[in-house]
Amino acid sequence: QVQLVQSGGGLVQAGGSLRLSCTASGRTFSSYAMAWFRQAPGKEREFVQAISWSGDRIYYADSVKGRFTISRDNAKNTVYLQMNSLKPEDTAVYYCAALDSGSERYFRDQRKYDYWGQGTQVTVSS
């Protein structure tokens, strides 16, 4: 079992920045690729970014390219999402998720993820 606990988020004006954190406990964190998804009101949950277990491969949605950065610190069992140049359309509940490293090729498919964080609200005002 892996427990994922998220922190960060909140309310920010457009153009501002926020950082989300997701700390894992339980089984070996470095065995998992990690990702961030988000779900806006009335919409389906969508993929944002993912990072391989080693941190040397990063995948991202076009909508956040150049603005969001995922990173991880395996010594701290933590994955981060640095969000810059935030837009009102980034408003959503953000979730971190863990994917067995053997399934990394399925990083966009939320059905493949094994564990999920509790979600954290990010609200960007215009």
Side-chain angles (χ1 to χ4, degrees), residues 7-109:
S7 60
L11 174 64
V12 65
Q13 289 188 333
S17 298
L18 285 173
R19 189 175 82 157
L20 305 182
S21 300
C22 173
T23 300
S25 60
R27 294 182 62 186
T28 306
F29 177 70
S30 59
S31 298
Y32 294 90
M34 297 296 296
W36 291 93
F37 288 79
R38 67 185 181 185
Q39 187 167 20
K43 296 187 177 181
E44 294 186 352
R45 188 158 55 186
E46 65 175 3
F47 170 77
V48 176
Q49 281 199 313
I51 187 168
S52 64
W53 68 272
S54 60
D56 61 349
R57 293 179 297 280
I58 291 176
Y59 313 94
Y60 53 84
D62 288 343
S63 58
V64 304
K65 182 180 180 181
R67 300 188 300 120
F68 290 12
T69 303
I70 191 172
S71 62
R72 67 189 296 162
D73 185 338
N74 286 346
K76 296 182 178 180
N77 285 2
T78 301
V79 62
Y80 305 96
L81 184 67
Q82 178 66 43
M83 304 183 291
N84 299 328
S85 302
L86 282 160
K87 304 175 181 180
E89 51 263 44
D90 295 317
T91 295
V93 177
Y94 284 71
Y95 298 89
C96 64
L99 174 69
D100 185 272
S101 59
S103 298
E104 185 180 313
R105 62 192 181 278
Y106 301 117
F107 65 89
R108 290 185 182 275
D109 186 350

